[in-house]
Coordinates of all heavy atoms in Angstrom, one line a residue:
M1 N 113.6 100.5 120.0 CA 114.1 100.7 118.6 C 113.3 101.8 118.0 O 112.0 101.8 118.1 CB 114.0 99.4 117.9 CG 113.9 99.6 116.3 SD 113.7 98.0 115.5 CE 112.7 98.5 114.1
R2 N 113.9 102.7 117.3 CA 113.2 103.7 116.6 C 113.2 103.5 115.1 O 114.3 103.4 114.5 CB 113.8 105.1 116.9 CG 113.3 105.8 118.1 CD 114.1 107.0 118.4 NE 113.9 108.0 117.2 CZ 112.9 108.8 117.1 NH1 112.0 108.9 118.0 NH2 112.9 109.6 116.1
A3 N 112.0 103.3 114.5 CA 112.0 103.0 113.1 C 111.7 104.3 112.3 O 111.7 104.3 111.1 CB 110.9 102.0 112.8
A4 N 111.6 105.4 113.0 CA 111.3 106.7 112.3 C 112.5 107.1 111.5 O 113.7 107.0 111.9 CB 111.0 107.8 113.3
M5 N 112.3 107.6 110.4 CA 113.4 108.1 109.5 C 112.8 109.2 108.6 O 111.6 109.5 108.6 CB 113.9 106.9 108.7 CG 112.8 106.1 107.9 SD 113.5 105.0 106.7 CE 113.8 106.1 105.3
R6 N 113.6 109.7 107.7 CA 113.2 110.7 106.8 C 113.0 110.1 105.4 O 113.9 109.3 105.0 CB 114.2 111.8 106.6 CG 114.5 112.5 107.9 CD 113.6 113.7 108.1 NE 113.8 114.3 109.4 CZ 112.8 114.8 110.2 NH1 111.6 114.9 109.7 NH2 113.0 115.4 111.3
C7 N 112.0 110.4 104.7 CA 111.8 110.0 103.4 C 112.9 110.6 102.5 O 113.1 111.8 102.5 CB 110.4 110.4 102.9 SG 110.2 110.1 101.1
P8 N 113.6 109.8 101.7 CA 114.6 110.3 100.9 C 114.1 111.2 99.8 O 114.8 112.0 99.2 CB 115.4 109.1 100.3 CG 114.4 108.0 100.5 CD 113.5 108.3 101.7
Q9 N 112.8 111.1 99.5 CA 112.2 111.9 98.4 C 111.8 113.3 98.8 O 112.1 114.2 98.1 CB 111.0 111.1 97.8 CG 111.2 109.7 97.4 CD 112.1 109.6 96.2 OE1 112.1 110.4 95.3 NE2 113.0 108.6 96.2
C10 N 111.2 113.4 100.0 CA 110.6 114.7 100.4 C 111.1 115.1 101.8 O 110.8 116.2 102.2 CB 109.1 114.6 100.4 SG 108.4 113.5 101.6
G11 N 111.8 114.3 102.5 CA 112.4 114.7 103.8 C 111.5 114.7 104.9 O 111.8 115.0 106.0
R12 N 110.2 114.2 104.7 CA 109.3 114.1 105.8 C 109.6 112.9 106.7 O 110.2 112.0 106.3 CB 107.8 114.0 105.3 CG 107.3 115.3 104.7 CD 106.0 115.1 104.2 NE 105.0 114.6 105.2 CZ 103.8 115.0 105.4 NH1 103.3 115.9 104.5 NH2 103.0 114.6 106.3
A13 N 109.2 113.0 108.0 CA 109.3 111.9 108.9 C 108.4 110.8 108.6 O 107.2 111.0 108.3 CB 109.0 112.4 110.4
V14 N 108.9 109.6 108.4 CA 108.1 108.4 108.0 C 108.5 107.2 108.8 O 109.5 107.2 109.5 CB 108.4 108.1 106.5 CG1 107.8 109.2 105.6 CG2 109.9 108.0 106.2
L15 N 107.6 106.2 108.8 CA 107.8 105.0 109.5 C 107.7 103.8 108.5 O 106.8 103.8 107.7 CB 106.7 104.8 110.6 CG 106.8 105.5 111.9 CD1 105.6 105.1 112.7 CD2 108.1 105.2 112.6
W16 N 108.7 102.9 108.7 CA 108.5 101.6 107.9 C 107.6 100.7 108.8 O 107.9 100.5 109.9 CB 109.8 100.9 107.7 CG 110.6 101.4 106.5 CD1 111.7 102.1 106.5 CD2 110.2 101.3 105.2 NE1 112.1 102.4 105.2 CE2 111.2 101.9 104.4 CE3 109.1 100.7 104.5 CZ2 111.1 102.0 103.0 CZ3 109.0 100.8 103.1 CH2 110.0 101.4 102.4
T17 N 106.6 100.2 108.2 CA 105.7 99.2 108.9 C 105.7 97.9 108.1 O 106.1 97.9 106.9 CB 104.3 99.8 109.0 OG1 103.7 99.8 107.7 CG2 104.2 101.2 109.6
V18 N 105.2 96.9 108.7 CA 105.1 95.6 108.0 C 103.6 95.3 108.0 O 102.9 95.3 109.0 CB 105.8 94.5 108.8 CG1 105.7 93.2 108.0 CG2 107.3 94.8 108.8
T19 N 103.1 95.0 106.8 CA 101.6 94.7 106.7 C 101.3 93.3 107.1 O 102.2 92.5 107.3 CB 101.2 94.9 105.2 OG1 101.8 93.9 104.4 CG2 101.6 96.3 104.7
E20 N 100.0 93.0 107.1 CA 99.6 91.6 107.5 C 100.1 90.6 106.5 O 100.3 89.5 106.8 CB 98.1 91.6 107.5 CG 97.5 92.3 108.8 CD 96.0 92.3 108.7 OE1 95.4 92.8 107.8 OE2 95.4 91.7 109.7
A21 N 100.3 91.1 105.2 CA 100.8 90.2 104.2 C 102.4 90.1 104.2 O 103.0 89.4 103.4 CB 100.4 90.7 102.8
G22 N 103.0 90.8 105.2 CA 104.4 90.7 105.4 C 105.2 91.6 104.5 O 106.4 91.5 104.3
K23 N 104.5 92.6 103.9 CA 105.1 93.5 103.0 C 105.5 94.8 103.8 O 104.8 95.1 104.8 CB 104.2 93.9 101.8 CG 104.0 92.7 100.9 CD 103.3 93.1 99.6 CE 103.3 91.9 98.6 NZ 102.2 92.0 97.7
R24 N 106.5 95.5 103.3 CA 106.9 96.7 104.0 C 106.0 97.9 103.4 O 105.9 98.0 102.2 CB 108.4 97.0 103.8 CG 109.2 96.1 104.8 CD 110.6 95.9 104.3 NE 111.4 97.1 104.4 CZ 111.9 97.6 105.5 NH1 111.7 96.9 106.7 NH2 112.6 98.7 105.6
L25 N 105.5 98.7 104.3 CA 104.7 99.8 103.9 C 105.2 101.1 104.6 O 105.3 101.1 105.8 CB 103.2 99.6 104.2 CG 102.3 100.8 104.0 CD1 102.1 101.0 102.5 CD2 101.0 100.6 104.7
L26 N 105.5 102.1 103.8 CA 106.0 103.4 104.4 C 104.7 104.2 104.7 O 103.9 104.5 103.9 CB 106.8 104.1 103.4 CG 107.8 105.1 103.9 CD1 108.8 104.6 104.9 CD2 108.5 105.7 102.7
V27 N 104.7 104.7 106.0 CA 103.6 105.6 106.4 C 104.1 106.8 107.0 O 105.3 106.9 107.4 CB 102.6 104.9 107.4 CG1 102.0 103.6 106.8 CG2 103.3 104.6 108.7
D28 N 103.3 107.9 107.0 CA 103.8 109.1 107.7 C 104.0 108.8 109.2 O 103.2 108.1 109.8 CB 102.7 110.2 107.6 CG 102.6 110.8 106.2 OD1 103.5 110.4 105.4 OD2 101.7 111.6 106.0
A29 N 105.0 109.4 109.8 CA 105.4 109.1 111.2 C 104.3 109.6 112.1 O 104.1 109.1 113.2 CB 106.7 109.7 111.5
D30 N 103.7 110.7 111.7 CA 102.7 111.3 112.6 C 101.3 110.7 112.3 O 100.9 110.6 111.2 CB 102.6 112.8 112.4 CG 103.9 113.6 112.8 OD1 104.5 113.1 113.8 OD2 104.3 114.5 112.1
P31 N 100.6 110.3 113.4 CA 99.3 109.7 113.2 C 98.4 110.8 112.6 O 98.5 112.0 112.7 CB 98.8 109.4 114.6 CG 100.0 109.3 115.4 CD 101.0 110.3 114.8
D32 N 97.4 110.3 111.8 CA 96.4 111.2 111.1 C 95.1 110.5 111.2 O 94.9 109.5 110.7 CB 96.9 111.4 109.6 CG 96.0 112.5 109.0 OD1 94.8 112.6 109.2 OD2 96.6 113.2 108.2
P33 N 94.1 111.2 111.8 CA 92.8 110.6 112.0 C 92.1 110.4 110.7 O 91.2 109.6 110.6 CB 92.0 111.7 112.8 CG 92.8 112.9 112.8 CD 94.2 112.5 112.5
D34 N 92.6 111.0 109.6 CA 92.0 110.8 108.3 C 92.7 109.6 107.5 O 92.4 109.3 106.4 CB 92.1 112.0 107.4 CG 91.3 113.2 107.9 OD1 90.2 112.9 108.5 OD2 91.7 114.3 107.7
G35 N 93.7 109.0 108.2 CA 94.5 108.0 107.5 C 93.6 106.7 107.4 O 92.6 106.6 108.1
N36 N 94.1 105.8 106.6 CA 93.3 104.6 106.4 C 94.1 103.3 106.7 O 93.8 102.2 106.4 CB 92.9 104.5 104.9 CG 94.1 104.4 103.9 OD1 95.2 104.4 104.4 ND2 93.8 104.4 102.6
T37 N 95.2 103.5 107.5 CA 96.1 102.4 107.9 C 96.2 102.4 109.4 O 96.7 103.4 109.9 CB 97.4 102.6 107.2 OG1 97.3 102.6 105.8 CG2 98.3 101.4 107.5
A38 N 95.9 101.3 110.0 CA 96.0 101.2 111.5 C 97.4 100.7 111.8 O 97.9 99.7 111.2 CB 95.0 100.3 112.0
V39 N 98.1 101.4 112.7 CA 99.5 101.1 113.0 C 99.7 100.9 114.5 O 99.2 101.6 115.3 CB 100.5 102.2 112.5 CG1 101.9 101.9 112.9 CG2 100.4 102.3 111.0
Y40 N 100.4 99.8 114.8 CA 100.8 99.6 116.2 C 102.2 99.0 116.2 O 102.7 98.5 115.2 CB 99.8 98.8 117.0 CG 99.9 97.3 116.6 CD1 100.6 96.4 117.4 CD2 99.2 96.8 115.5 CE1 100.7 95.1 117.0 CE2 99.3 95.5 115.2 CZ 100.0 94.6 115.9 OH 100.1 93.3 115.6
Q41 N 102.9 99.2 117.4 CA 104.2 98.6 117.6 C 104.1 97.3 118.3 O 103.5 97.3 119.4 CB 105.1 99.7 118.3 CG 106.6 99.4 118.1 CD 107.4 100.6 118.7 OE1 106.9 101.4 119.4 NE2 108.7 100.6 118.4
D42 N 104.7 96.3 117.8 CA 104.6 95.0 118.5 C 105.7 94.8 119.5 O 106.5 95.8 119.7 CB 104.6 93.8 117.5 CG 105.9 93.6 116.8 OD1 106.9 94.2 117.3 OD2 106.0 92.8 115.8
G43 N 105.7 93.7 120.2 CA 106.7 93.5 121.3 C 108.1 93.6 120.9 O 109.0 93.8 121.7
T44 N 108.4 93.4 119.6 CA 109.8 93.4 119.2 C 110.2 94.8 118.7 O 111.3 95.0 118.2 CB 110.1 92.4 118.1 OG1 109.4 92.8 116.9 CG2 109.7 91.0 118.5
G45 N 109.3 95.8 118.7 CA 109.5 97.1 118.2 C 109.2 97.3 116.8 O 109.4 98.4 116.2
T46 N 108.7 96.3 116.1 CA 108.3 96.4 114.7 C 107.0 97.1 114.6 O 106.0 96.8 115.3 CB 108.2 95.0 114.1 OG1 109.5 94.4 114.2 CG2 107.9 95.1 112.6
Y47 N 106.9 98.0 113.7 CA 105.6 98.7 113.4 C 104.8 97.8 112.5 O 105.2 97.5 111.4 CB 105.8 100.1 112.8 CG 106.3 101.1 113.9 CD1 107.7 101.3 114.0 CD2 105.4 101.7 114.7 CE1 108.1 102.2 115.0 CE2 105.9 102.6 115.7 CZ 107.2 102.8 115.8 OH 107.7 103.7 116.7
R48 N 103.6 97.5 112.9 CA 102.7 96.6 112.1 C 101.6 97.5 111.6 O 101.1 98.4 112.3 CB 102.0 95.5 113.0 CG 103.1 94.7 113.6 CD 103.5 93.5 112.7 NE 104.6 92.8 113.3 CZ 105.2 91.8 112.6 NH1 104.9 91.5 111.4 NH2 106.3 91.2 113.2
S49 N 101.2 97.3 110.3 CA 100.1 98.1 109.7 C 99.1 97.1 109.1 O 99.4 96.0 108.7 CB 100.7 99.0 108.7 OG 101.3 98.3 107.7
R50 N 97.8 97.6 109.1 CA 96.8 96.9 108.4 C 95.6 97.8 108.1 O 95.6 98.9 108.6 CB 96.2 95.8 109.3 CG 95.5 96.3 110.6 CD 95.0 95.2 111.5 NE 94.3 95.8 112.6 CZ 93.0 96.1 112.5 NH1 92.3 95.9 111.4 NH2 92.4 96.6 113.6
R51 N 94.8 97.4 107.2 CA 93.6 98.1 106.8 C 92.5 97.8 107.8 O 92.0 96.6 107.9 CB 93.1 97.7 105.4 CG 93.9 98.4 104.3 CD 93.7 99.9 104.3 NE 94.8 100.5 103.4 CZ 94.6 100.7 102.1 NH1 93.5 100.4 101.5 NH2 95.6 101.3 101.4
P52 N 92.0 98.8 108.5 CA 90.8 98.5 109.4 C 89.6 98.2 108.6 O 89.5 98.7 107.4 CB 90.6 99.8 110.2 CG 91.8 100.7 109.9 CD 92.4 100.2 108.6
S53 N 88.7 97.3 109.1 CA 87.5 96.9 108.3 C 86.3 97.0 109.3 O 86.5 97.2 110.5 CB 87.7 95.5 107.8 OG 87.8 94.6 108.9
A54 N 85.2 96.7 108.8 CA 84.0 96.7 109.6 C 84.1 95.6 110.7 O 83.7 95.8 111.8 CB 82.7 96.5 108.8
D55 N 84.7 94.5 110.3 CA 84.8 93.4 111.3 C 85.9 93.7 112.3 O 85.8 93.2 113.4 CB 85.1 92.1 110.5 CG 83.9 91.6 109.7 OD1 82.8 91.9 110.1 OD2 84.1 90.8 108.8
L56 N 87.0 94.3 111.8 CA 88.1 94.6 112.6 C 88.4 96.1 112.6 O 89.3 96.5 111.9 CB 89.3 93.8 112.2 CG 89.4 92.3 112.5 CD1 90.5 91.6 111.8 CD2 89.5 92.1 114.0
P57 N 87.7 96.9 113.4 CA 87.9 98.3 113.4 C 89.2 98.6 114.1 O 89.9 97.8 114.6 CB 86.7 98.9 114.1 CG 86.2 97.8 115.0 CD 86.6 96.5 114.3
V58 N 89.6 99.9 114.1 CA 90.8 100.3 114.8 C 90.7 100.0 116.3 O 89.7 100.3 116.9 CB 91.0 101.9 114.6 CG1 92.3 102.3 115.3 CG2 91.1 102.2 113.1
M59 N 91.7 99.4 116.8 CA 91.8 99.0 118.2 C 92.4 100.1 119.0 O 93.0 101.0 118.5 CB 92.6 97.7 118.4 CG 92.1 96.5 117.6 SD 90.4 96.0 118.2 CE 90.0 94.8 117.0
G60 N 92.2 100.0 120.3 CA 92.7 101.0 121.2 C 94.2 101.2 121.2 O 94.7 102.4 121.4
W61 N 94.9 100.2 120.8 CA 96.4 100.3 120.8 C 96.9 100.7 119.4 O 98.1 100.8 119.2 CB 97.0 99.0 121.2 CG 96.6 97.8 120.4 CD1 97.2 97.4 119.2 CD2 95.6 96.9 120.6 NE1 96.6 96.3 118.7 CE2 95.6 96.0 119.5 CE3 94.6 96.8 121.6 CZ2 94.6 95.0 119.4 CZ3 93.7 95.8 121.5 CH2 93.7 94.9 120.4
E62 N 96.0 100.9 118.5 CA 96.4 101.3 117.1 C 96.1 102.8 116.9 O 95.2 103.4 117.5 CB 95.6 100.4 116.1 CG 96.0 99.0 116.2 CD 95.1 98.1 115.2 OE1 93.9 98.5 115.0 OE2 95.6 97.2 114.7
R63 N 96.9 103.3 116.0 CA 96.7 104.7 115.5 C 96.6 104.7 114.0 O 97.2 104.0 113.3 CB 97.9 105.6 115.9 CG 98.0 105.8 117.4 CD 96.9 106.7 118.0 NE 96.9 106.8 119.4 CZ 96.3 106.0 120.2 NH1 95.5 105.1 119.8 NH2 96.3 106.2 121.5
L64 N 95.7 105.6 113.5 CA 95.6 105.7 112.1 C 96.7 106.6 111.5 O 97.0 107.7 112.0 CB 94.2 106.4 111.8 CG 93.0 105.4 111.9 CD1 91.7 106.2 111.7 CD2 93.1 104.3 110.8
H65 N 97.3 106.1 110.5 CA 98.3 106.8 109.7 C 97.9 106.9 108.3 O 97.2 106.0 107.8 CB 99.7 106.2 109.9 CG 100.3 106.2 111.3 ND1 101.4 107.0 111.6 CD2 99.9 105.6 112.4 CE1 101.7 106.8 112.8 NE2 100.8 106.0 113.4
K66 N 98.6 107.8 107.6 CA 98.4 107.8 106.1 C 99.6 107.1 105.5 O 100.7 107.3 105.9 CB 98.3 109.2 105.6 CG 96.9 109.9 105.7 CD 96.9 111.2 105.1 CE 95.5 111.8 105.1 NZ 95.4 113.2 104.8
P67 N 99.3 106.3 104.5 CA 100.4 105.7 103.7 C 101.2 106.9 103.1 O 100.7 107.8 102.6 CB 99.8 104.9 102.6 CG 98.3 104.7 103.1 CD 98.0 105.8 103.9
H68 N 102.5 106.8 103.2 CA 103.3 107.9 102.8 C 103.2 108.2 101.3 O 103.4 109.4 100.9 CB 104.8 107.8 103.2 CG 105.6 108.9 102.8 ND1 105.4 110.2 103.4 CD2 106.6 109.1 102.0 CE1 106.2 111.1 103.0 NE2 107.0 110.5 102.0
V69 N 102.9 107.2 100.5 CA 102.8 107.5 99.0 C 101.7 108.5 98.8 O 101.8 109.2 97.8 CB 102.5 106.2 98.2 CG1 103.7 105.3 98.2 CG2 101.3 105.5 98.8
A70 N 100.7 108.6 99.7 CA 99.6 109.5 99.5 C 100.0 111.0 99.8 O 99.4 111.9 99.3 CB 98.4 109.1 100.4
T71 N 101.1 111.1 100.6 CA 101.4 112.5 101.0 C 102.8 112.9 100.5 O 103.2 114.0 100.7 CB 101.4 112.6 102.6 OG1 102.5 111.7 103.1 CG2 100.1 112.2 103.1
C72 N 103.6 112.0 99.9 CA 104.9 112.3 99.5 C 104.9 113.4 98.4 O 104.1 113.2 97.4 CB 105.6 111.0 99.0 SG 107.4 111.3 98.7
T73 N 105.6 114.4 98.6 CA 105.6 115.5 97.6 C 107.0 115.9 97.3 O 107.5 116.9 97.7 CB 104.8 116.7 98.2 OG1 105.3 117.0 99.5 CG2 103.3 116.5 98.2
P74 N 107.7 115.1 96.6 CA 109.2 115.3 96.3 C 109.4 116.6 95.5 O 110.5 117.1 95.6 CB 109.6 114.1 95.5 CG 108.4 113.4 95.0 CD 107.2 113.8 95.9
A75 N 108.4 117.1 94.8 CA 108.7 118.2 93.9 C 108.7 119.5 94.7 O 109.3 120.5 94.3 CB 107.6 118.3 92.8
T76 N 108.1 119.5 95.9 CA 108.0 120.8 96.7 C 109.3 121.0 97.4 O 110.1 120.1 97.6 CB 106.8 120.7 97.7 OG1 107.0 119.6 98.5 CG2 105.5 120.6 96.9
R77 N 109.4 122.2 97.9 CA 110.6 122.6 98.7 C 110.7 121.8 100.0 O 109.7 121.4 100.5 CB 110.6 124.1 99.0 CG 109.6 124.5 100.1 CD 108.8 125.7 99.7 NE 107.8 126.0 100.6 CZ 106.7 125.3 100.9 NH1 106.5 124.2 100.2 NH2 105.8 125.7 101.7
P78 N 111.9 121.5 100.5 CA 112.0 120.8 101.7 C 111.4 121.7 102.9 O 111.5 122.9 102.8 CB 113.5 120.6 101.9 CG 114.2 121.2 100.8 CD 113.2 121.9 99.9
A79 N 110.9 121.0 103.9 CA 110.3 121.7 105.0 C 111.4 122.6 105.7 O 112.6 122.2 105.7 CB 109.7 120.7 106.0
P80 N 111.0 123.7 106.2 CA 112.0 124.6 106.9 C 112.7 123.9 108.0 O 112.1 123.2 108.8 CB 111.1 125.8 107.4 CG 109.8 125.5 107.0 CD 109.6 124.2 106.3
G81 N 114.0 124.2 108.1 CA 114.8 123.6 109.2 C 115.2 122.2 108.9 O 116.0 121.6 109.7
R82 N 114.8 121.6 107.9 CA 115.2 120.2 107.6 C 116.2 120.2 106.5 O 115.9 120.7 105.4 CB 114.0 119.3 107.2 CG 113.1 119.1 108.4 CD 111.9 118.3 108.0 NE 111.0 118.1 109.1 CZ 109.7 117.7 109.0 NH1 109.2 117.5 107.8 NH2 109.0 117.6 110.1
P83 N 117.3 119.6 106.7 CA 118.4 119.6 105.7 C 118.0 118.7 104.5 O 117.2 117.8 104.7 CB 119.6 119.0 106.4 CG 119.1 118.2 107.5 CD 117.8 118.9 107.9
A84 N 118.4 119.1 103.3 CA 118.1 118.2 102.2 C 118.7 116.8 102.4 O 119.8 116.7 103.0 CB 118.8 118.9 100.9
P85 N 118.0 115.8 102.1 CA 118.5 114.4 102.4 C 119.9 114.1 101.8 O 120.6 113.3 102.4 CB 117.4 113.5 101.8 CG 116.2 114.4 101.5 CD 116.8 115.8 101.4
A86 N 120.2 114.7 100.7 CA 121.5 114.3 100.1 C 122.7 114.9 100.8 O 123.8 114.4 100.6 CB 121.5 114.8 98.6
V87 N 122.5 115.9 101.7 CA 123.6 116.5 102.4 C 123.8 115.8 103.7 O 122.9 115.5 104.4 CB 123.2 118.0 102.7 CG1 124.3 118.6 103.5 CG2 123.0 118.7 101.4
L88 N 125.1 115.4 103.9 CA 125.5 114.8 105.2 C 125.3 115.8 106.3 O 125.7 116.9 106.2 CB 126.9 114.3 105.1 CG 127.1 113.1 104.2 CD1 128.6 112.8 104.0 CD2 126.5 111.8 104.7
P89 N 124.8 115.3 107.5 CA 124.7 116.2 108.6 C 126.1 116.6 109.1 O 127.1 115.8 108.9 CB 124.0 115.3 109.7 CG 123.5 114.1 109.0 CD 124.2 114.0 107.7
A90 N 126.2 117.7 109.8 CA 127.5 118.1 110.3 C 128.0 117.1 111.3 O 127.3 116.5 112.1 CB 127.3 119.4 111.1
G91 N 129.3 116.8 111.2 CA 130.0 115.8 112.0 C 130.0 114.4 111.5 O 130.6 113.5 112.1
V92 N 129.2 114.2 110.4 CA 129.2 112.8 109.8 C 130.3 112.8 108.7 O 130.2 113.6 107.8 CB 127.8 112.5 109.3 CG1 127.8 111.2 108.5 CG2 126.8 112.5 110.4
A93 N 131.2 111.8 108.8 CA 132.3 111.7 107.9 C 131.8 111.1 106.6 O 130.9 110.2 106.6 CB 133.4 110.9 108.5
D94 N 132.3 111.6 105.5 CA 132.1 111.0 104.2 C 133.0 109.8 104.1 O 134.2 109.9 103.9 CB 132.3 112.0 103.1 CG 132.1 111.4 101.7 OD1 132.1 110.2 101.6 OD2 131.8 112.2 100.8
L95 N 132.5 108.6 104.3 CA 133.3 107.4 104.3 C 134.1 107.1 103.0 O 135.2 106.6 103.0 CB 132.5 106.2 104.7 CG 132.1 106.1 106.2 CD1 131.3 104.8 106.4 CD2 133.4 106.0 107.0
T96 N 133.5 107.5 101.9 CA 134.2 107.3 100.6 C 135.5 108.1 100.6 O 136.5 107.6 100.2 CB 133.2 107.7 99.5 OG1 132.0 107.1 99.7 CG2 133.8 107.2 98.1
A97 N 135.3 109.4 101.0 CA 136.5 110.2 101.0 C 137.6 109.7 102.0 O 138.7 109.8 101.8 CB 136.1 111.7 101.3
Y98 N 137.1 109.2 103.1 CA 138.0 108.7 104.2 C 138.8 107.5 103.7 O 140.0 107.5 103.8 CB 137.1 108.3 105.4 CG 138.0 107.7 106.5 CD1 138.7 108.6 107.4 CD2 138.0 106.4 106.7 CE1 139.4 108.1 108.4 CE2 138.8 105.8 107.8 CZ 139.5 106.7 108.6 OH 140.2 106.2 109.6
R99 N 138.1 106.6 103.0 CA 138.8 105.4 102.5 C 139.8 105.8 101.4 O 140.9 105.3 101.4 CB 137.8 104.4 101.8 CG 136.9 103.8 102.9 CD 136.3 102.5 102.4 NE 135.2 102.1 103.3 CZ 133.9 102.4 103.2 NH1 133.5 103.1 102.1 NH2 133.0 102.0 104.0
R100 N 139.4 106.8 100.6 CA 140.3 107.2 99.6 C 141.6 107.8 100.2 O 142.7 107.5 99.8 CB 139.7 108.4 98.7 CG 139.9 108.3 97.3 CD 139.2 109.3 96.5 NE 137.7 109.0 96.4 CZ 136.8 109.9 96.6 NH1 137.0 111.1 97.1 NH2 135.5 109.6 96.5
K101 N 141.5 108.6 101.3 CA 142.6 109.2 101.9 C 143.5 108.2 102.6 O 144.7 108.3 102.6 CB 142.1 110.2 103.0 CG 142.5 111.6 102.8 CD 142.0 112.5 103.9 CE 140.5 112.8 103.7 NZ 140.0 113.6 104.9
T102 N 143.0 107.1 103.2 CA 143.8 106.2 104.0 C 144.3 105.0 103.1 O 145.0 104.2 103.6 CB 142.9 105.6 105.1 OG1 141.7 105.1 104.6 CG2 142.6 106.8 106.1
R103 N 143.9 104.9 101.9 CA 144.3 103.8 101.1 C 145.8 103.7 100.9 O 146.5 104.8 100.8 CB 143.6 103.8 99.7 CG 143.9 102.6 98.9 CD 143.2 102.6 97.6 NE 141.7 102.6 97.9 CZ 140.8 103.1 97.0 NH1 141.2 103.5 95.8 NH2 139.5 103.1 97.3
G104 N 146.4 102.6 101.0 CA 147.8 102.4 100.8 C 148.6 102.7 102.0 O 149.9 102.8 101.9
R105 N 148.0 102.9 103.1 CA 148.8 103.3 104.3 C 149.0 102.1 105.2 O 149.4 102.2 106.4 CB 148.0 104.4 105.1 CG 149.0 105.3 105.9 CD 148.2 105.9 107.0 NE 147.6 107.2 106.6 CZ 146.7 107.8 107.3 NH1 146.3 107.3 108.5 NH2 146.2 109.0 106.9
S106 N 148.7 100.9 104.8 CA 148.7 99.7 105.7 C 150.1 99.2 106.0 O 151.0 99.7 106.1 CB 147.9 98.6 105.1 OG 148.6 98.2 103.8
Ligands
LIG1 ZN1 108.2 111.3 100.8

């Protein structure tokens, strides 16, 4: 399972993780050695995140990521080559328009 997606605010690649408290936390998809959140993928494909501590430092199977709220920059221009999130990719049908067109044809 791929949990990677684009942030609707800034278009960057992000990952949904689940914290130890069971809350969802959005982090940057790319690991960052300066990050403060340890992330690993569990057996079901869920990304788990936690704060490393002196007692529980980053383990070999974990990677440091930055919480996306720290890097989200919605005001800046979208990264080159990445379509604006509001625009549907080529080949993807607008279902609202489709339903409108086919209504009453049953
Ligand atoms: Zn963002």
Side-chain angles (χ1 to χ4, degrees):
M1 156 181 148
R2 273 177 59 86
M5 53 168 280
R6 300 271 175 213
C7 170
Q9 306 294 322
C10 67
R12 288 177 58 138
V14 290
L15 280 182
W16 276 115
T17 68
V18 179
T19 69
E20 288 176 299
K23 294 190 172 154
R24 282 157 73 78
L25 174 73
L26 199 61
V27 301
D28 285 355
D30 294 324
D32 188 322
D34 293 330
N36 61 2
T37 303
V39 175
Y40 72 97
Q41 201 172 10
D42 73 12
T44 66
T46 302
Y47 288 93
R48 303 274 172 187
S49 60
R50 66 180 183 87
R51 282 293 165 92
S53 64
D55 289 337
L56 283 170
V58 180
M59 301 296 176
W61 59 86
E62 294 174 326
R63 291 289 174 269
L64 283 171
H65 291 248
K66 278 188 175 166
H68 184 62
V69 289
T71 64
C72 190
T73 51
T76 58
R77 72 225 176 290
R82 287 177 184 165
V87 176
L88 289 168
V92 173
D94 183 336
L95 282 180
T96 311
Y98 179 78
R99 289 199 192 95
R100 219 176 284 132
K101 240 181 282 174
T102 56
R103 184 174 301 157
R105 207 204 271 169
S106 58

